[in-house]
Amino acid sequence: MNLNEPTQQNVEYMIEAIKTKLRMATGAAMQASSFTAEKYEDLKDIYDMVHSKDRFSISEVEALVSELGKLRA
């Protein structure tokens, strides 16, 4: 998948991948359809950071979820 293109399909893919990687208990509350390609670059930055690490502290997960919440439409 080419994540360099700011498409809604890529947004949805990245949100689902982030939820899976973070093992989010509240993943159902974070629907990929709530995000638009307008915030693509910010979302891509979060996606890249999440996939660069193997483990996250609770405070890191909370910070990431907070940032994702700010990006929702």
Side-chain angles (χ1 to χ4, degrees), residues 3-73:
L3 295 178
N4 294 322
E5 298 294 324
T7 65
Q8 188 62 34
Q9 181 181 7
N10 285 348
V11 167
E12 293 174 10
Y13 172 82
M14 288 190 293
I15 291 297
E16 293 303 320
I18 289 168
K19 288 177 5 183
T20 299
K21 180 84 175 199
L22 296 180
R23 296 180 190 95
M24 292 176 58
T26 59
M30 187 151 312
Q31 297 295 323
S33 60
S34 298
F35 296 85
T36 66
E38 291 175 11
K39 304 283 185 172
Y40 189 83
E41 290 302 318
D42 294 328
L43 182 57
K44 180 79 164 65
D45 289 341
I46 293 172
Y47 172 83
D48 289 339
M49 195 272 297
V50 166
H51 281 280
S52 71
K53 293 184 71 174
D54 290 329
R55 294 192 173 125
F56 297 90
S57 68
I58 292 172
S59 60
E60 286 174 318
V61 171
E62 289 173 352
L64 288 166
V65 171
S66 175
E67 288 301 312
L68 288 169
K70 293 176 187 175
L71 297 178
R72 288 195 317 204

